[in-house]
Amino acid sequence: SNATVFNMSTVTNFSTTGTSRIEFTYSGGTGTRTITPGDLSEANSLNFYITAGTDTVTISTGDIVKDLSFNGFSGTWTNTVLTMYGSLFVSSGMTVGAGTATLTFGATSGIQYITTNGKTLDFPVTCNTASTKRLHDALTIGSTRILTHTAGTFDLQTFTLTCGLFSGSSTTTRSITFGSGAKIVV
């Protein structure tokens, strides 16, 4: 509790094989757990699973993760600049901190799933690479925050995307897929 619990701030000459799974199982409510995954490449990015606790979790600003799952977590996730090359799962029992730091979905291929369980992402979100970003439930971005979609496919499936501002301006190929009943509310 109340410490940097994972530190890869220096990632020179680091590589991985297989599918990573790094679990954080502290079940207490004291302090802030800081996770510093480092500035990894897409190929070497790591999967993080926060499976317990009611404390605060911070991913170091400017760092990179693959999957980020808060399934089982009931604390607060602090807003920091973060690039994700995988999927996001937000627990229904947690608090998502607000702020101005941008969450970027940056995978260059494949599908990045976004599950928010009714929680608002009250910070800017950017989708600027060729992957597909696919909603697993409705996505609400804060009423004063922007969703920037400049590349790839944003697949709403049958869900609603609600955001304060939407920007899709770009000369890069991009698309939005609307399933039955799907809509964007700005």
Side-chain angles (χ1 to χ4, degrees):
S1 68
N2 209 28
T4 299
V5 295
F6 186 89
N7 186 353
M8 294 264 308
S9 58
T10 304
V11 293
T12 304
N13 298 320
F14 174 76
S15 65
T16 62
T17 57
T19 302
S20 66
R21 183 175 180 92
I22 301 166
E23 290 188 14
F24 301 89
T25 60
Y26 171 67
S27 61
T30 303
T32 299
R33 285 183 279 176
T34 301
I35 300 169
T36 305
D39 187 13
L40 297 167
S41 68
E42 182 173 3
N44 287 329
S45 58
L46 301 168
N47 297 304
F48 293 96
Y49 299 84
I50 296 84
T51 62
T54 57
D55 57 334
T56 299
V57 169
T58 298
I59 312 291
S60 292
T61 263
D63 281 1
I64 293 171
V65 300
K66 189 159 188 153
D67 290 345
L68 181 59
S69 173
F70 291 95
N71 192 14
F73 180 66
S74 298
T76 300
W77 172 30
T78 304
N79 171 240
T80 59
V81 173
L82 182 63
T83 298
M84 294 189 63
Y85 290 128
S87 298
L88 174 65
F89 182 92
V90 175
S91 169
S92 62
M94 68 182 280
T95 300
V96 179
T100 59
T102 301
L103 171 63
T104 300
F105 289 93
T108 57
S109 63
I111 300 172
Q112 292 183 272
Y113 297 98
I114 304 169
T115 307
T116 59
N117 280 303
K119 297 298 180 178
T120 297
L121 302 184
D122 195 7
F123 43 76
V125 174
T126 295
C127 305
N128 64 358
T129 55
S131 69
T132 296
K133 291 71 173 173
R134 181 171 293 158
L135 299 185
H136 266 197
D137 58 8
L139 173 59
T140 300
I141 297 172
S143 63
T144 61
R145 310 299 183 197
I146 188 168
L147 172 70
T148 304
H149 175 160
T150 57
T153 299
F154 204 96
D155 183 357
L156 301 174
Q157 294 205 86
T158 59
F159 303 108
T160 298
L161 163 64
T162 304
C163 56
L165 305 160
F166 181 91
S167 174
S169 294
S170 174
T171 58
T172 304
T173 301
R174 65 211 175 284
S175 64
I176 300 173
T177 302
F178 291 89
S180 176
K183 61 184 172 185
I184 297 175
V185 176
V186 181

